[in-house]
Amino acid sequence: MAVARDATDTSALPRAPGDAGEPIVLLRDVHQAFGSLEVLKGISFSVRKGGVACIIGPSGSGKSTLLRCINGLVPIRSGTIRVADFDVHRLKTDQEKIALRKEVSMVFQQYNLFPHKTALDNVMMAPIHVLKEDRNAVRARAIALLTKVGLAAKQNSYPGELSGGQQQRVAIARSLAMRPEVMLFDEVTAALDPETVKEVLSTIRELAREGMTCILVTHEMRFAREIADEVHFTDGGTIVESGPPAQLFDHPRKERTRAFLSQIL
Amino acid sequence: MSGKARGTVLPVILPAGERLARAAMRERSDGTHRLRLRGSHGWALLGAFVLGCGIAQAQSQPESPSILDTLWKWTPLLARGFVFNLAISFIAMAIGTVTGLFLGFAQISLLPPVRKGAWFATHFFRNAPWLVLLFYCMFLLPFQVSVFGVTIPIPDWTKATLGLALPVMANVSEIARGAVQSIPTTQWEAAGSLAFNRRQTLWMIIFPQCIKRMLPPWMNLYAILTMATVLASIVGVNEMMTLTQRALSAENRPGLLLAFYSYVLLWFFVYCYPIARWTVRLEARYAVDQ
């Protein structure tokens, strides 16, 4: 049945990668609290499809919580979060949240690989059991992904036999195997030693170049400057300042941003 | 390798207070006290046995057969009793494990009534004296049931086995709950972010990791249960302890007590010692692995 769509109905149009303009992640005045402790006090920002947003800021400023709100691991108090076609703040049932998480994948600081499964099985599990895809097709894709992150030779190793950097790259491959629309990275290099940070960052860099929408919480300022379209500096549960990396790092407008950057750069 | 570095690669001697507190915490999560059998305990038992034999020999009449001959004469009967003990322990362990796993998983249910009910059952049977539970089953269960006119007798040993399975169930329940809760919450988070639902997360990610953690306390529980099977003698089951008493009254010789009971102890030690050692070894290995 053919229905004439008017030109403003963008949701029905096929979205080309790098289609600028349209935000795929949109947060409006997000509040979150654990008990009486307010963690997020009105966060608003958006990421367009294919864009890379970096969130920087001191520890305890709610960065990790923010990411967990975006994929529905943590419910929010008020405000709205829209990711792709989901109103995250309205998702109630597990099924709805699961549907969202097929689109948004998260990589953690502590890798969180499943220790009883090999690297390959770690990557294959979710597509087979959650997406119900064909095992052989998933296997081929998983091997391709492990090759992409440079770990084809380690596919039969268990997480305990891999270095931190290798585990983190497996974790990235595991998330990518779900073919998400958005990738969230939660301080993925914070637990790594400086030499292995590089290998993980180059994997993420490659992803960003391929047009994957990424939101990164990071302490790697040089990397943020290089990769981000927009950087958000958070402190005390609010976004203090946002802007393109060149502006935010070189000409911060707010005193708080300047103080933070002078501490770490 | 950071995962391995967290284990006890370099053991540190803790102050006694902290050591005891940790042991107490572990035992609480295991559900039962930890069996600490050492090789020296076996030698001490053997010493008691030899001493008992010596005393009995010295007290016996010159014309009566030697004490070792007497023991040897009764050994086939006692062995049969011991096999019965083992049978009771196997069956009670099997029943207790299956029901205990269900109860343990009910304890982590998201439904409050299920969770609270399971919690109550677990703690009731865990904290009740084993002997009381045994008597309970012995005298409250009928000695026979009629199903469609067919009368099926329930022998005493079945009831005793059920009575022993109850505390086993409660302890397995607690072991299972403890194992699930010992898996880091980050595993749940990772599974959640990959869109696994709760059932899939439990079956594919959490439970497989629990098995390793459950094995040592489960084996410890089995060794404790094996020793507890002699309680069945109080309710008249023909296991090793009952048969030893019979043998003693049949012999009617003074001074046999120490020799015979040391002998029984030795049997149980020989059976349980390897289990206890293996438990300790598995535990040490898994502690480093995790």
Side-chain angles (χ1 to χ4, degrees):
Chain A
M1 193 170 72
V3 174
R5 294 193 179 99
D6 77 27
T8 56
D9 186 8
T10 51
S11 65
L13 294 174
R15 285 173 302 198
D19 182 5
E22 185 198 349
I24 187 165
V25 178
L26 183 63
L27 285 81
R28 285 268 170 273
D29 198 29
V30 171
H31 287 261
Q32 215 279 322
F34 296 119
S36 61
L37 179 71
E38 266 200 277
V39 187
L40 303 177
K41 303 171 188 165
I43 299 270
S44 304
F45 73 88
S46 65
V47 186
R48 61 171 180 76
K49 190 162 174 57
V52 176
C54 284
I55 301 168
I56 61 170
S59 304
S61 60
K63 306 185 298 291
S64 293
T65 309
L66 186 59
L67 285 193
R68 280 165 171 73
C69 291
I70 294 175
N71 80 343
L73 278 176
V74 174
I76 60 172
R77 280 278 169 92
S78 65
T80 63
I81 301 179
R82 191 168 172 81
V83 177
D85 299 326
F86 296 92
D87 282 320
V88 180
H89 54 284
R90 290 220 183 93
L91 302 183
K92 288 281 181 292
T93 66
D94 275 353
Q95 270 166 324
E96 291 169 336
K97 285 180 188 162
I98 285 166
L100 164 75
R101 288 176 197 153
K102 288 176 185 169
E103 303 296 325
V104 187
S105 217
M106 184 151 171
V107 183
F108 299 88
Q109 181 178 341
Q110 290 294 345
Y111 341 126
N112 300 356
L113 292 180
F114 304 131
H116 60 298
K117 296 281 183 184
T118 62
L120 186 62
D121 283 337
N122 261 282
V123 179
M124 287 171 61
M125 264 175 100
I128 289 177
H129 297 292
V130 176
L131 303 180
K132 313 280 183 204
E133 290 182 28
D134 173 62
R135 178 174 282 272
N136 291 325
V138 171
R139 195 186 168 80
R141 187 160 95 235
I143 291 173
L145 282 169
L146 284 175
T147 310
K148 182 175 173 174
V149 299
L151 289 172
K154 298 280 186 186
Q155 54 177 274
N156 292 321
S157 301
Y158 284 89
E161 300 160 355
L162 299 173
S163 73
Q166 290 170 335
Q167 288 190 57
Q168 193 59 288
R169 284 183 285 155
V170 173
I172 293 174
R174 181 175 73 171
S175 289
L176 287 175
M178 292 294 282
R179 293 201 247 248
E181 292 283 321
V182 181
M183 289 277 284
L184 309 175
F185 295 90
D186 184 13
E187 296 190 29
V188 289
T189 56
L192 301 177
D193 52 286
E195 289 196 353
T196 51
V197 166
K198 237 188 251 172
E199 61 194 42
V200 173
L201 292 186
S202 67
T203 304
I204 300 175
R205 184 180 295 123
E206 203 178 317
L207 274 181
R209 286 204 184 123
E210 287 168 9
M212 173 66 76
T213 311
C214 299
I215 303 178
L216 294 100
V217 166
T218 185
H219 289 300
E220 300 285 332
M221 295 307 153
R222 206 180 303 166
F223 183 66
R225 173 195 285 256
E226 173 202 327
I227 197 175
D229 299 318
E230 191 154 39
V231 180
H232 305 280
F233 171 63
T234 61
D235 188 25
T238 56
I239 292 183
V240 176
E241 186 171 351
S242 300
Q247 185 218 313
L248 191 122
F249 285 117
D250 297 335
H251 310 287
R253 286 183 306 247
K254 299 272 170 62
E255 187 49 46
R256 181 70 191 91
T257 317
R258 218 168 290 151
F260 176 75
L261 290 174
S262 70
Q263 289 277 318
I264 55 164
L265 287 183
Chain B
M1 305 301 158
S2 64
K4 291 200 171 171
R6 257 177 287 137
T8 49
V9 179
L10 292 170
V12 178
I13 298 173
L14 299 168
E18 195 174 333
R19 218 166 49 224
L20 289 174
R22 282 199 185 187
M25 256 174 66
R26 197 182 56 213
E27 287 182 359
R28 200 169 55 202
S29 72
D30 284 356
T32 39
H33 65 90
R34 183 53 51 98
L35 215 52
R36 287 178 223 282
L37 294 181
R38 299 216 174 89
S40 57
H41 299 161
W43 293 115
L45 262 181
L46 197 63
F49 173 65
V50 171
L51 185 71
C53 289
I55 293 171
Q57 197 63 55
Q59 285 179 338
S60 60
Q61 309 291 331
E63 68 272 16
S64 56
S66 86
I67 189 76
L68 289 177
D69 282 342
T70 314
L71 270 173
W72 186 244
K73 188 179 79 186
W74 289 103
T75 295
L77 184 71
L78 297 186
R80 227 177 302 153
F82 188 69
V83 169
F84 202 26
N85 282 76
L86 294 191
I88 292 175
S89 75
F90 290 151
I91 300 169
M93 198 65 192
I95 297 173
T97 302
V98 173
T99 50
L101 286 176
F102 274 106
L103 199 60
F105 298 149
Q107 278 202 87
I108 52 165
S109 165
L110 292 179
L111 301 170
V114 174
R115 191 172 60 233
K116 283 175 185 157
W119 180 88
F120 179 80
T122 299
H123 285 268
F124 179 82
F125 288 119
R126 222 183 115 193
N127 295 313
W130 289 40
L131 194 54
V132 175
L133 291 176
L134 198 60
F135 269 76
Y136 211 81
C137 280
M138 232 39 213
F139 299 118
L140 284 187
L141 290 176
F143 65 92
Q144 59 181 36
V145 284
S146 295
V147 185
F148 303 119
V150 183
T151 306
I152 304 164
I154 303 180
D156 276 356
W157 71 268
T158 321
K159 292 195 269 185
T161 306
L162 280 180
L164 288 169
L166 285 177
V168 171
M169 170 189 77
N171 282 301
V172 169
S173 164
E174 204 52 7
I175 290 170
R177 184 199 57 80
V180 169
Q181 289 182 348
S182 75
I183 303 293
T185 51
T186 50
Q187 288 286 308
W188 287 90
E189 259 193 345
S193 77
L194 288 169
F196 283 100
N197 63 31
R198 185 178 164 84
R199 198 174 51 80
Q200 288 171 323
T201 305
L202 279 170
W203 280 111
M204 293 178 208
I205 292 149
I206 305 298
F207 291 163
Q209 295 184 56
C210 287
I211 293 170
K212 236 164 73 164
R213 291 172 195 229
M214 284 171 62
L215 204 54
W218 183 80
M219 281 165 49
N220 180 57
L221 180 63
Y222 175 69
I224 289 171
L225 168 70
T226 306
M227 296 190 190
T229 52
V230 293
L231 289 176
S233 73
I234 301 176
V235 288
V237 176
N238 277 330
E239 47 67 71
M240 193 180 198
M241 196 67 177
T242 312
L243 294 175
T244 308
Q245 282 162 347
R246 297 243 176 93
L248 281 170
S249 55
E251 281 293 323
N252 200 18
R253 272 165 68 181
L256 280 182
L257 247 73
L258 186 55
F260 263 79
Y261 285 124
S262 310
Y263 189 53
V264 174
L265 272 178
L266 266 179
W267 274 73
F268 277 94
F269 181 84
V270 167
Y271 184 72
C272 291
Y273 178 68
I275 299 174
R277 293 307 304 170
W278 194 24
T279 305
V280 170
R281 270 184 49 196
L282 275 184
E283 197 156 59
R285 205 170 81 206
Y286 293 162
V288 175
D289 275 356
Q290 277 159 11

